[in-house]
Amino acid sequence: MPVDTRTTPEHDDAPVRYDVADQVATITFDRPDKLNALTVAMGDRLFALLRRADADRQVRAVVITGAGRAFSAGADLAMLAHTPVDERDSLIVAPENGPAMIRSLRLPVIAAINGPAAGLAFAVSLAADIRFVAADAKLSLPFSRLGLYSEYGSAWLLSRLVGAGAAADLLLSGRVFLGAESGELGLAQRVLPAAEVLPAALDYARDLALNCSPDSLAMIRSMIDDAAVSPLAEHYAATVPVMRAGLRAFDFDEGVAARRDKRAPKFRERIPGGG
């Protein structure tokens, strides 16, 4: 499939690349000389590109990564230091771009953390579904060491992913830990040598795009989030009507037929989301 390299109107000059191949959109922080440190414009473009991918019928999964040897060093320190006090509200991610937006997408989101990841950028990866992490990547959420608080819903997200105790350790101390430890904590689903992180994440995303029902992926993401806040009986009762609908849908018949015939499934075209 041709690679889509068109820009999006919102902050299209910010160094964040967007490529589409094999029904997978890859969003790349592209400021390697600064370890992909994020500016406000880069953050805005990231969220605009996530919405763009979600609205594209030809995209079935998203991978977020960084150019060069880093995922992202987090917010640009020079930007933080030189923003006047009365303008610092502009540094806060707008609620419409908050972690709930990423969780509301109909696409699975995979973070390919190929190197150092810190602060806001690492916090964004916590809202992804899956994290592939370089074993030697230096990771941190150093908010307490900057006189800041837990940004981008990281306290909620991290507590859900690794438990309150581990979340407290990482957030209160703001310490640096390695990708290998992120695997031990259950934060990373794959821990690999740095050079293998992006290829493995792309292979995983392509498998989802080729072999999984887009409707199933969207619904399962929603179910996982509901399971975090609903009692089991309530969660199950809410999913029964969904399961009934699924058993009557084209994708179910197609999935069974593909398994029976030992061929790749041809699921329905993805229904775009709205972010």
Side-chain angles (χ1 to χ4, degrees):
M1 179 179 292
V3 173
D4 180 349
T5 58
R6 294 169 296 172
T7 59
T8 190
E10 188 169 359
H11 298 287
D12 59 8
D13 58 343
V16 183
R17 293 202 316 269
Y18 182 85
D19 307 288
V20 177
D22 301 322
Q23 296 185 297
V24 176
T26 303
I27 299 174
T28 307
F29 301 129
D30 193 16
R31 200 184 176 204
D33 57 319
K34 299 293 186 182
L35 296 182
N36 302 316
L38 298 180
T39 63
V40 170
M42 288 174 69
D44 288 344
R45 179 159 165 78
L46 166 66
F47 299 116
L49 290 173
L50 286 169
R51 287 190 170 87
R52 172 178 167 180
D54 202 40
D56 187 343
R57 291 179 179 273
Q58 300 307 310
V59 173
R60 294 193 174 188
V62 175
V63 173
I64 303 174
T65 194
R69 68 182 186 87
F71 180 73
S72 171
D76 186 295
L77 287 178
M79 175 188 70
L80 297 181
H82 293 109
T83 302
V85 172
D86 59 357
E87 296 178 15
R88 289 179 185 169
D89 284 358
S90 67
L91 300 174
I92 300 172
V93 176
E96 61 268 23
N97 289 335
M101 185 279 282
I102 295 179
R103 299 307 310 158
S104 73
L105 303 177
R106 291 183 58 81
L107 294 163
V109 178
I110 300 144
I113 302 174
N114 52 306
L120 176 60
F122 187 39
V124 167
S125 80
L126 301 180
D129 299 285
I130 305 287
R131 280 156 294 281
F132 284 61
V133 182
D136 61 353
K138 293 181 178 180
L139 313 174
S140 66
L141 293 158
F143 305 122
S144 65
R145 295 176 182 248
L146 293 169
L148 294 173
Y149 313 121
S150 180
E151 290 186 357
Y152 203 71
S154 51
W156 191 97
L157 292 164
L158 198 58
S159 296
R160 177 171 168 241
L161 291 168
V162 301
D169 167 30
L170 298 178
L171 288 167
L172 292 174
S173 71
R175 66 181 177 87
V176 175
F177 62 104
L178 296 181
E181 184 179 350
S182 76
E184 296 166 4
L185 291 169
L187 185 57
Q189 282 64 58
R190 305 285 189 280
V191 177
L192 300 162
E196 297 178 17
V197 168
L198 181 58
L202 289 171
D203 283 346
Y204 184 91
R206 283 190 288 262
D207 179 59
L208 296 184
L210 179 64
N211 294 308
C212 299
S213 159
D215 185 60
S216 293
L217 294 174
M219 189 55 65
I220 288 169
R221 291 183 89 242
S222 177
M223 287 177 166
I224 290 171
D225 285 351
D226 178 75
V229 296
S230 297
L232 175 57
E234 183 179 310
H235 170 76
Y236 181 73
T239 63
V240 167
V242 175
M243 291 186 287
R244 285 176 180 152
L247 288 169
R248 291 164 172 75
F250 170 85
D251 277 4
F252 172 71
D253 291 327
E254 173 58 16
V256 171
R259 280 291 182 96
R260 181 194 61 210
D261 300 339
K262 297 181 179 179
R263 60 173 174 81
K266 297 179 181 178
F267 291 121
R268 290 182 304 177
E269 189 175 59
R270 191 177 69 82
I271 300 171

